Amino acid sequence: MTEFIFYLDIFGTISFAVAASLMAYNKNLDPFGILVISIITSVGGGTLRDILLRNYPIFWIDNIVYLIVIIISSVLTQLFIRYISRISNILLIFDAIGIGVFTVIGIKISLNFHLHPLISITMGTITAVFGGLIRDVLYNEIPVILHKELYATLCITGGMLFFILNFFSIQVEINYAVSMLFIILTRIIAIKYNLSLKTLTFKR
């Protein structure tokens, strides 16, 4: 189980690194700037989570693999940007995968501290969205989690789904997979149909 979670975490890290590199490239940053944004986006949420939980050493400091994976993913994305960018909505798809995986990872780590489900869901959401929040602030933009799109809401809902399934004693591996896929698929659907809390609740 521990090995499965580690590889899942690496997969989420790659997804966020690719998505952040694509976005930074579209913002006309230079290669070093793209790499910096990629690192911040990929580890920002997990870093805040570990600080809040006093889970030391912080994950990417304890294991250099994370930084290596981010750097390789960012460099390869920049090298093949012309081919990757041709795929429709590729940035948003990688970002959706990232928030799904990181929400589950954040919940899993919180469970190691035997925290209340509400706190675990909060930690999962922070893990998934805080790196993107820092990224948007550096772009001098309103963070995506604060307006317009269904983003953090889906992480919270996916976290709630996890604990509902856990209440019914669903096998933990299946629970992680279902909760993660729920977030990823609903995020993609929200992107496809331009759904947001505003469109779901009221119209101006």
Side-chain angles (χ1 to χ4, degrees), residues 149-191:
E149 298 180 12
L150 287 174
Y151 201 80
T153 310
L154 300 180
C155 300
I156 295 169
T157 307
M160 293 170 61
L161 175 62
F162 174 88
F163 283 102
I164 290 171
L165 296 176
N166 189 60
F167 177 79
F168 290 103
S169 300
I170 302 298
Q171 185 177 350
V172 66
E173 290 88 351
I174 296 175
N175 195 348
Y176 284 131
V178 170
S179 302
M180 177 181 64
L181 289 174
F182 170 83
I183 297 169
I184 294 171
L185 293 177
T186 51
R187 173 64 179 152
I188 292 173
I189 291 170
I191 294 166

Side-chain angles (χ1 to χ4, degrees), residues 79-98:
L79 289 175
F80 297 100
I81 191 74
R82 292 184 180 180
Y83 306 100
I84 297 173
S85 59
R86 292 175 185 174
I87 303 174
S88 178
N89 289 326
I90 187 66
L91 188 158
L92 297 175
I93 291 172
F94 272 106
D95 190 60
I97 293 171

Side-chain angles (χ1 to χ4, degrees), residues 10-194:
I10 292 297
F11 180 60
T13 301
I14 292 171
S15 298
F16 259 5
V18 172
S21 297
L22 288 169
M23 185 175 291
Y25 180 85
N26 292 336
K27 297 290 184 180
N28 297 318
L29 272 66
D30 64 22
F32 179 74
I34 294 173
L35 180 60
V36 169
I37 290 294
S38 179
I39 293 172
I40 290 173
T41 304
S42 300
V43 306
T47 299
L48 179 60
R49 175 204 65 220
D50 283 354
I51 291 173
L52 292 174
L53 294 177
R54 298 181 182 179
N55 184 33
Y56 300 122
I58 292 171
F59 73 102
W60 59 270
I61 295 176
D62 185 50
N63 192 340
I64 193 65
V65 169
Y66 288 97
L67 280 182
I68 292 173
V69 164
I70 294 168
I71 292 170
I72 292 175
S73 299
S74 181
V75 170
L76 289 177
T77 300
Q78 293 181 57
L79 289 175
F80 297 100
I81 191 74
R82 292 184 180 180
Y83 306 100
I84 297 173
S85 59
R86 292 175 185 174
I87 303 174
S88 178
N89 289 326
I90 187 66
L91 188 158
L92 297 175
I93 291 172
F94 272 106
D95 190 60
I97 293 171
I99 66 170
V101 171
F102 279 3
T103 299
V104 168
I105 294 296
I107 290 173
K108 169 63 175 64
I109 291 174
S110 297
L111 290 176
N112 294 336
F113 291 84
H114 308 289
L115 300 174
H116 188 279
L118 182 59
I119 301 300
S120 294
I121 293 172
T122 301
M123 289 299 119
T125 303
I126 286 173
T127 306
V129 307
F130 193 77
L133 187 150
I134 299 174
R135 174 201 65 206
D136 292 344
V137 169
L138 291 175
Y139 289 152
N140 198 29
E141 296 179 353
I142 299 175
V144 68
I145 68 168
L146 301 180
H147 74 113
K148 192 166 69 172
E149 298 180 12
L150 287 174
Y151 201 80
T153 310
L154 300 180
C155 300
I156 295 169
T157 307
M160 293 170 61
L161 175 62
F162 174 88
F163 283 102
I164 290 171
L165 296 176
N166 189 60
F167 177 79
F168 290 103
S169 300
I170 302 298
Q171 185 177 350
V172 66
E173 290 88 351
I174 296 175
N175 195 348
Y176 284 131
V178 170
S179 302
M180 177 181 64
L181 289 174
F182 170 83
I183 297 169
I184 294 171
L185 293 177
T186 51
R187 173 64 179 152
I188 292 173
I189 291 170
I191 294 166
K192 181 177 176 62
Y193 295 102
N194 196 28

